Amino acid sequence: MSSVSSEDENYLYDLLIDDSSDEDEEQEAQEELLLILSHCTGRGSRKRLGTETVAFVRDRIEWNEHVAALQQEGKGSFRRLYRMEYESFVKLCALLEPHLRVNAEMSDIRTKKGPITTEIALHCLLRWLAGGSYLDIRLSAGISKSSFYRCLHSAMDTISTIPNIATFSFPPDENQIVQLAGDFRDISGTAGILNGCVGVMDGFLLQTSTPSVLESNGNVKAYFSGHYQCYGVNVQGICDSKCRFLFLAAAAPGGTNDIVAFRRCRLQEMINTLPLGRYVVGDNAYVCSEHLLTPFSGNEKFEARKDAYNFYISQLRIRIEMAFGMMTNRFRILKSPISIAMSSIGKLLLTIGKLHNYCIDERLAMTPDAAAPRTQQVPPNNIDVEVLDEDDPNDYRYLPSDVTVVDVEGISMMRDLLVEKIAAAGLRRPGRRDVQLC
């Protein structure tokens, strides 16, 4: 620790008590004060060489050489590392550049190294979201721990707020409603009977470390999921037929069930604004209504015509399970408890959701003839490997936020009408054609 002379000490005291109203003098005084404080603290972690202290700064990653090496490794190396193709990465950097650009001259003065470029900041964010450790990521990038977290939060602040990166849009406008309903109709397998669906919804548990008493407003227990025996946040989401999120929000503490979280995030109000004949499909954790259709449960689900209805809306609803599975597998930070301030959970979730949408948009743009992800009849949480095309073909699980079934069945004329139409068309659940409709 460097000592301060009595002259500096007296001058520091004068600066602290000075009440000068001249702005130029005040700014100059503040700059001198910072210099003295910097001298007092030794500028944090430094190496001492004789009587001189020298800050240790790593060499920045040579981005072009890094990319060239990945491309030499073979096709897919860049995508596996950054969860998107190189062309999509470059495009994303161009969108973020005006917001993340730093002063190269000042960076050279402070560190004698190159600036932390947008590519380096995005490298840190994507590798961290993919499940990497900050220790390895910052070493490979050639930046300090504080610079690493500054890169993370700057990138998340930008991605979560700027409108030109895969913005969510729910409730949709009139044109979007027509497009969404048409896309779901095309994959429903009902010859146009299910032509009013504009989204499918569900919840998942975003695991977190134990929140502090202050972060939880004194109710740490509210964040504990008794079913999964871990802490977390209840996330509610709606997606389209291509598994892109229309709505995604950290709705409530992890111990909250879906129906309460659904109401707390005002999603119910949004869904109720949909035009007559348009609806969202959810599971039995929600109460059925005219604009939110759910499957039949209890003894009703054994009736043939209601069983057929359950099957065909499940062909739509599975898209949200696929979306959560794809997102969790792409950004593997979601597979284990996240150690981040509760105040930053919303920002993190928006960033992940928008990047998820961005990756799907880019894939569709590169392969315009690509169909919607293929639906298979698989148990919940088992996602089609060919749909996701990610690294681990055996690990696509996420944690549904609520595994309970509501006691209130709900009443919906729309649901009853669809049951009748499906029955009249002679549609059955595959494998049960020997069951007579009643």
Side-chain angles (χ1 to χ4, degrees):
M1 178 75 70
S2 301
S3 60
V4 184
S5 66
S6 59
E7 183 179 350
D8 284 341
E9 192 173 18
N10 292 332
Y11 182 58
L12 177 60
Y13 176 76
D14 292 336
L15 286 176
L16 292 173
I17 66 172
D18 183 21
D19 60 355
S20 173
S21 60
D22 186 272
E23 293 184 0
D24 292 336
E25 290 183 7
E26 184 177 352
Q27 181 177 359
E28 186 176 359
Q30 288 177 349
E31 291 176 353
E32 293 182 11
L33 174 60
L34 289 174
L35 287 174
I36 293 176
L37 292 175
S38 173
H39 179 68
C40 294
T41 59
R43 301 267 311 172
S45 177
R46 291 172 176 262
K47 287 183 176 180
R48 181 174 296 278
L49 300 177
T51 59
E52 181 183 3
T53 57
V54 180
F56 177 73
V57 181
R58 293 182 178 275
D59 291 330
R60 303 276 188 259
I61 183 175
E62 291 292 341
W63 184 253
N64 291 334
E65 293 181 6
H66 173 64
V67 172
L70 288 175
Q71 291 175 339
Q72 288 180 353
E73 288 181 4
K75 184 178 180 180
S77 295
F78 188 94
R79 181 180 62 82
R80 284 192 292 272
L81 201 62
Y82 296 105
R83 292 345 202 199
M84 63 182 69
E85 300 293 345
Y86 175 66
E87 294 79 8
S88 301
F89 185 95
V90 171
K91 180 179 175 181
L92 184 57
C93 280
L95 294 173
L96 300 178
E97 173 70 19
H99 307 275
L100 299 182
R101 185 187 302 118
V102 298
N103 189 315
E105 182 179 355
M106 290 302 297
S107 178
D108 184 67
I109 292 174
R110 287 193 300 266
T111 66
K112 305 301 180 185
K113 303 290 182 181
I116 299 177
T117 63
T118 303
E119 288 82 0
I120 293 177
L122 194 54
H123 156 83
C124 292
L125 176 64
L126 293 178
R127 288 301 306 138
W128 183 68
L129 293 179
S133 166
Y134 83 90
L135 295 170
D136 299 322
I137 298 169
R138 77 169 191 84
L139 288 179
S140 65
I143 60 177
S144 66
K145 177 181 176 180
S146 60
S147 295
F148 168 80
Y149 283 108
R150 188 161 55 247
C151 286
L152 283 189
H153 287 280
S154 296
M156 287 195 293
D157 287 336
T158 302
I159 293 173
S160 63
T161 55
I162 63 176
N164 54 346
I165 299 180
T167 303
F168 303 149
S169 56
F170 195 89
D173 59 34
E174 185 175 347
N175 292 331
Q176 290 172 324
I177 285 176
V178 173
Q179 181 66 49
L180 290 167
D183 290 342
F184 276 111
R185 178 198 62 218
D186 293 342
I187 66 171
S188 68
T190 60
I193 294 176
L194 295 178
N195 60 0
C197 180
V198 297
V200 288
M201 69 175 296
D202 202 355
F204 91 97
L205 183 71
L206 175 63
Q207 299 178 75
T208 67
S209 57
T210 307
S212 68
V213 174
L214 183 62
E215 288 178 318
S216 62
N217 294 321
N219 190 5
V220 176
K221 185 179 179 181
Y223 289 83
F224 186 75
S225 169
H227 180 77
Y228 295 111
Q229 293 294 298
C230 66
Y231 290 92
V233 173
N234 183 306
V235 174
Q236 295 291 301
I238 298 178
C239 78
D240 65 12
S241 64
K242 297 178 175 63
C243 300
R244 296 173 297 194
F245 288 105
L246 304 173
F247 177 91
L248 192 67
T256 309
N257 60 35
D258 276 349
I259 191 63
V260 175
F262 169 66
R263 291 168 177 165
R264 284 187 60 173
C265 65
R266 300 183 61 191
L267 195 49
Q268 185 176 29
E269 298 175 24
M270 297 181 193
I271 290 176
N272 287 337
T273 63
L274 292 173
L276 186 64
R278 305 299 187 181
Y279 48 84
V280 171
V281 174
D283 61 18
N284 290 114
Y286 307 97
V287 178
C288 188
S289 67
E290 295 301 331
H291 296 290
L292 175 55
L293 303 188
T294 63
F296 289 96
S297 60
N299 290 330
E300 286 188 296
K301 68 183 179 183
F302 298 112
E303 297 179 28
R305 63 176 61 206
K306 293 178 179 178
D307 178 67
Y309 160 86
N310 280 2
F311 169 77
Y312 284 103
I313 67 162
S314 75
Q315 300 303 288
L316 307 183
R317 189 176 56 81
I318 197 175
R319 299 289 160 164
I320 187 63
E321 297 181 359
M322 294 167 68
F324 282 142
M326 293 167 70
M327 181 177 70
T328 302
N329 192 65
R330 177 176 282 119
F331 302 112
R332 295 191 171 228
I333 191 175
L334 299 175
K335 286 186 174 290
S336 56
I338 297 174
S339 296
I340 190 172
M342 281 293 168
S343 59
S344 296
I345 288 290
K347 173 174 68 177
L348 170 67
L349 188 63
L350 281 176
T351 299
I352 291 176
K354 293 182 74 173
L355 287 174
H356 168 88
N357 286 3
Y358 177 79
C359 290
I360 294 178
D361 287 341
E362 287 295 296
R363 176 178 62 81
L364 294 174
M366 292 177 183
T367 55
D369 297 330
R374 177 164 53 87
T375 302
Q376 286 189 341
Q377 280 307 293
V378 291
N381 282 343
N382 291 337
I383 306 301
D384 183 5
V385 173
E386 294 183 21
V387 169
L388 299 181
D389 191 27
E390 287 292 349
D391 301 333
D392 187 350
N394 298 312
D395 190 7
Y396 295 109
R397 293 186 178 273
Y398 72 98
L399 300 182
S401 55
D402 193 356
V403 293
T404 60
V405 176
V406 295
D407 295 329
V408 181
E409 182 66 34
I411 300 174
S412 172
M413 294 177 62
M414 174 58 67
R415 182 170 71 169
D416 293 340
L417 178 62
L418 292 176
V419 169
E420 295 302 323
K421 286 186 175 182
I422 290 172
L427 298 175
R428 315 282 200 281
R429 179 188 292 270
R432 297 192 180 183
R433 297 189 180 277
D434 54 327
V435 178
Q436 297 295 319
L437 292 177
C438 55

